[in-house]
Each structure stands twice: as C-alpha cells, then as structure tokens.
Amino acid sequence: MTSQPIPDMWNQQFIDDPYPAYRQLLAHDGPIYHEGVWLYAHYTDVQAALRHAGLGTTQLDVDAELVAQYGLEPIINARRHMMLFTNPPDHTRLRGLVSRAFTPRAVDRMRGTIEQLVMQLVDDIDAGNIDLISRFAYPLPVTVIATMLGVPTDDLDRFRRWSQPIAAFIAGSTDTESDVWLRASDAAKEMAEYFVVESRRRRDNPGEDLLTALSQAEEGDDQLSTDELVANAILLLVAGHETTTNLIGNGMLALLQHPHQLAHLRQHPALLGNAVEELLRYDSPVQYTERVALHDLTIGDHRIAAGATVQLFLGAANRDPQRYPDPDTLDVQRTDVRHLAFAHGAHFCLGAPLARLEARIAIGALLDRLPQLALADEPLAWRSNFALRGLRRLPLAIGQQQ
Ligand code: HEM
C-alpha cells in the first residue's frame, strides 16, 4: 500500500506554507481515511461535506472537574451557545434570530463609517516602514464590528483586549493551551457582564445598533436567552476580527508579491470586487474546519461511521486543479471564482457581506493612496495557527502618500 500524505498540521513549517502538503492531498484520488479521521481536500468533496445534514459541528469534550477547578465556565458556556458550534434545531433558531439583527441593510449602513475609518488609518501612516497588521489590518475590523454593536468609542480598547484571547481560543491556538483558555475565560466573563448590562439598558433605551436589535430579537415566543445573546454577540465580535485582518494582510501580501496583478488592479479599480474574491481563494484566511458524523452516513462512495471526525481543508479545496485552472496562479481577472473561503451550507459565514465590504474599501484605499507601497526587506512570520492563516507582521515600505 502506498503511504498516505497526512499533513502534520501542528508543525510550523506546514503552517508557514501549507500548499505543498495540499498538492499532495489533492494528488490523492478522493478523501483519505486515517486512524478514525477522514481528510477532505477536493473542492467537490469539501462542498458536499459542508452541505451534508448528517455532519455536525463539534462540541468540546471537557472534563467538568477541570472546568470548575480552573474557572473556565464563562468561555465554555459562551462557546456552547454560539451558533457556530450548534446543530439544528438550535442552530436554525439562533441563526434566524441573529440574522434579523445582522442584516445586509445594517451592513450597508456601515459603508460611510468604514470609509472614514480607513481614510483616518491611512492618514496616520507616515512615510517610512510600518507594520500593516498592527497599524491598519487589525484595528479596522474590530473597530467596525464594535461600532456596529454599539460599543462606545471609550470602551473600544477594552474590547480589543478581550477579543484577542477569545478569538485565539475559538480558533484553537497552538500556544500553551491552558494559558489561552484561562485568558479567554477571564475575557469572556468580563465581556458577558458588559453585554448583560448594556443589553438591559438597550431594552429601556433602544438605539440603532446591533445590540439593541439582538435584545429585541424574538421569533414568536422564541426569544434569545441571555446566555445566547451574550454568546452570539461575542461570536460576532471575534469571528470577524482576526479573519478580516488576515484577508487584508494575506491579500496585500499576495498583491505585492505579484506586481503585474497589482498594477493591473490599480489601472482597473472596477476589478476590486473580483480581486477580493480571488484573494480569498488564493490564500484563504480560514484554511480549515471540521465536522463530526452525527450518525452513519454515506458521501459519494464513502461510508462514514457515526462519531468519525471529518477534517475539511478549505484552503486546499480553493486550490483544487479539478475546479480551478492554474490554481496556484493569482489572477484578479479569474472568472467563476466561487471559493469555499466562507464555507458553504448551514454555517456559511454570516459576516461575509461585511468582510467583503471592509476588504474592498481597505485594499482599494491602500492601492489608491499609497502608490509607492512595497514589501520591506524583512522576513515574514506567520501566526502559529493552522485554521486561521495570517501574518504576525506585514512590514511595508510606504513612500509618499497621495
Ligand atoms: C474574511 C473574513 C472572514 C472569513 C474568511 C470568514 C470565514 C468563515 C467561515 C469559514 C465560517 C464557517 C466555519 C464553519 O463552518 O466551521 C464562518 C462562520 C461565521 N462567520 Fe465568518 N468569516 C469572516 C468574517 C466574518 C465577519 C466580519 C463576521 C461578523 C461580524 C463573521 C461572522 C461569522 C459567524 C457568525 C459565523 C457562524 C455562522 C453559523 O454558524 O451559522 N465572519 N466564517
């Protein structure tokens, strides 16, 4: 039997550049079964798995004694009620209620605020060398979603501080586990207290913000419980911030490494929307997710036993040569991009319209306002997480602003 190309996902070399390992997975004919786990990398297989009602999202199996001993209830409790980690019927109800608040109109209302914020962040960039992540790509999404939720400007710093450990926990950071869990739990506790107080205030004094809309969200008698409101407000805050940061960071890196594509995009700004889709495909901010078989089931020719884990390599599916001609080539004019970067099916990213809007405005402004932008001559370092692909720093030489 030929050996199977199983990627070593916790290895920093794989995290730095997963694409050679993906090519091996994609060269294999169909999914791979290895020690009770299914590995899916091909576009049609990943898409079929994401659509399959018999595959559910995974719950954490944590020892109750450990949770009590270390005081982890706040983060475990929040995770349990986040729509991302629930299955029908809870998922259908939660997603329905949150979607009523997080509407395309609510997102579109943010356009002016995002444009203003982007301009201000670019204005604050001086000539010389900067790190685009800390100066631009990180502050933008967290400020946008916190503003949308209705968090006052004075509390933004606290929100940024709380979001980081929770995002690391949700994404399954490879940093020392216990430390991430403790910091995430402390942050979740403080954030939950904040949201409880603020949502009560909104019931008496409604505003135009998302927290007011969530507080009012009800479907027949089916209201969001306090735990659910808090958990999903936290999810909205953290789901969008590292991911969108990585879209801007990975996207700008890809463009700067492909100067012809960058020049073409500068000459044809109408391509920006398509370019953002191609950047999402080419170096996806979310590379990986997983599911568990809720019962015995069949996908294509394969029988999957109840309880088996199914690993879904979104980043590989987006480079599948059976789906995309020249998949490893960046082409901002590529037609029919329809990638899986926002997943597919029941858990398709609820924040996709917001992420797209932010990325178009952000990347458009950077190209327009900073014509001499270039990669600085410094080595790149990727964050140590195989699910969320992003740079620790993106050192750029800025040149003169326009
Ligand atoms: C480039 C940026 C983003 C990317 C690549 C991304 C990607 C994803 C992916 C792959 C999933 C599905 C995960 C799975 O099925 O296991 C997801 C779900 C989700 N995303 Fe995003 N996301 C981004 C931005 C955002 C933003 C800005 C928000 C909100 C402010 C958001 C909110 C959510 C929510 C609430 C879910 C859960 C949906 C559900 O379970 O039904 N995301 N996202």
Side-chain angles (χ1 to χ4, degrees):
M1 206 173 89
T2 54
S3 71
Q4 294 179 321
I6 311 296
D8 180 3
M9 296 196 291
W10 300 93
N11 183 326
Q12 189 64 37
Q13 219 178 332
F14 168 77
I15 292 172
D16 288 349
D17 180 10
Y19 296 106
Y22 290 167
R23 279 192 282 276
Q24 289 184 3
L25 279 178
L26 290 164
H28 193 272
D29 191 19
I32 293 172
Y33 182 72
H34 178 70
E35 295 180 359
V37 174
W38 285 90
L39 282 76
Y40 276 49
H42 298 82
Y43 186 95
T44 48
D45 291 339
V46 173
Q47 192 182 39
L50 287 168
R51 221 180 5 224
H52 203 293
L55 292 176
T57 57
T58 44
Q59 276 298 341
L60 274 185
D61 183 17
V62 212
D63 186 323
E65 260 178 52
L66 277 182
V67 170
Q69 187 183 347
Y70 291 102
L72 300 175
E73 287 94 348
I75 191 67
I76 301 292
N77 193 38
R79 191 186 187 280
R80 186 179 308 129
H81 291 100
M82 289 178 183
M83 71 176 93
L84 184 56
F85 302 111
T86 57
N87 293 315
D90 278 342
H91 176 261
T92 322
R93 181 177 57 86
L94 288 175
R95 184 159 171 133
L97 288 168
V98 177
S99 308
R100 287 182 175 198
F102 197 75
T103 57
R105 265 191 61 205
V107 170
D108 211 52
R109 272 206 301 269
M110 288 305 290
R111 183 183 295 272
T113 308
I114 299 170
E115 283 169 352
Q116 237 176 4
L117 242 163
V118 164
M119 286 308 153
Q120 192 187 323
L121 288 167
V122 177
D123 283 345
D124 291 347
I125 295 177
D126 354 273
N129 283 15
I130 63 142
D131 166 27
L132 193 77
I133 302 295
S134 58
R135 292 288 293 275
F136 185 86
Y138 184 72
L140 178 66
V142 65
T143 311
V144 170
I145 188 66
T147 309
M148 244 181 126
L149 279 161
V151 173
T153 322
D154 286 352
D155 293 336
L156 278 179
D157 275 344
R158 271 203 287 173
F159 265 81
R160 293 192 190 117
R161 242 183 307 118
W162 287 335
S163 311
Q164 212 159 20
I166 299 178
F169 168 81
I170 299 292
S173 166
T174 52
D175 294 340
T176 327
E177 287 288 303
S178 58
D179 188 41
V180 170
W181 286 37
L182 287 176
R183 285 191 299 128
S185 217
D186 286 348
K189 181 164 178 283
E190 290 177 30
M191 217 188 258
E193 284 163 3
Y194 183 94
F195 278 136
V196 167
V197 172
E198 287 300 312
S199 66
R200 287 210 183 112
R201 214 203 304 266
R202 300 301 202 287
R203 271 178 205 146
D204 303 329
N205 265 317
E208 284 278 287
D209 52 74
L210 214 53
L211 207 52
T212 299
L214 284 175
S215 312
Q216 293 168 342
E218 52 180 353
E219 198 172 49
D221 297 332
D222 212 5
Q223 221 165 334
L224 278 179
S225 71
T226 304
D227 275 351
E228 290 168 346
L229 184 147
V230 166
N232 287 286
I234 295 178
L235 175 64
L236 286 179
L237 189 74
V238 300
H241 92 267
E242 226 171 284
T243 48
T244 311
T245 299
N246 295 346
L247 171 56
I248 298 170
N250 301 359
M252 286 306 296
L253 174 66
L255 287 171
L256 289 162
Q257 286 175 330
H258 296 82
H260 291 299
Q261 294 290 314
L262 178 68
H264 190 81
L265 189 54
R266 273 210 173 102
Q267 281 158 13
H268 303 90
L271 278 176
L272 203 55
N274 200 65
V276 166
E277 298 312 303
E278 171 68 350
L279 294 169
L280 279 158
R281 180 197 75 80
Y282 181 77
D283 203 9
S284 308
V286 179
Q287 293 274 322
Y288 173 89
T289 185
E290 61 184 37
R291 296 289 188 264
V292 63
L294 301 174
H295 48 76
D296 288 346
L297 54 96
T298 306
I299 303 183
D301 301 334
H302 302 278
R303 279 193 60 72
I304 300 181
T309 298
V310 180
Q311 300 186 325
L312 301 171
F313 291 88
L314 306 174
N318 288 335
R319 297 275 193 116
D320 182 354
Q322 289 170 26
R323 171 64 179 79
Y324 299 104
D326 297 326
D328 297 326
T329 302
L330 179 75
D331 177 5
V332 295
Q333 297 181 80
R334 187 184 288 276
T335 50
D336 189 23
V337 183
R338 285 185 300 156
H339 51 72
L340 298 175
F342 291 123
H344 181 79
H347 292 276
F348 179 82
C349 177
L350 191 66
L354 181 62
R356 288 179 160 131
L357 183 64
E358 286 182 46
R360 286 173 198 166
I361 296 173
I363 294 176
L366 290 171
L367 299 192
D368 188 42
R369 298 269 316 272
L370 305 172
Q372 294 165 24
L373 198 63
L375 287 173
D377 191 15
E378 285 180 41
L380 295 171
W382 294 89
R383 302 182 74 86
S384 51
N385 187 317
F386 58 79
L388 294 189
R389 177 163 172 78
L391 291 161
R392 286 184 194 281
R393 295 168 32 80
L394 178 53
L396 297 183
I398 295 301
Q400 289 304 316
Q401 286 211 19
Q402 277 199 339

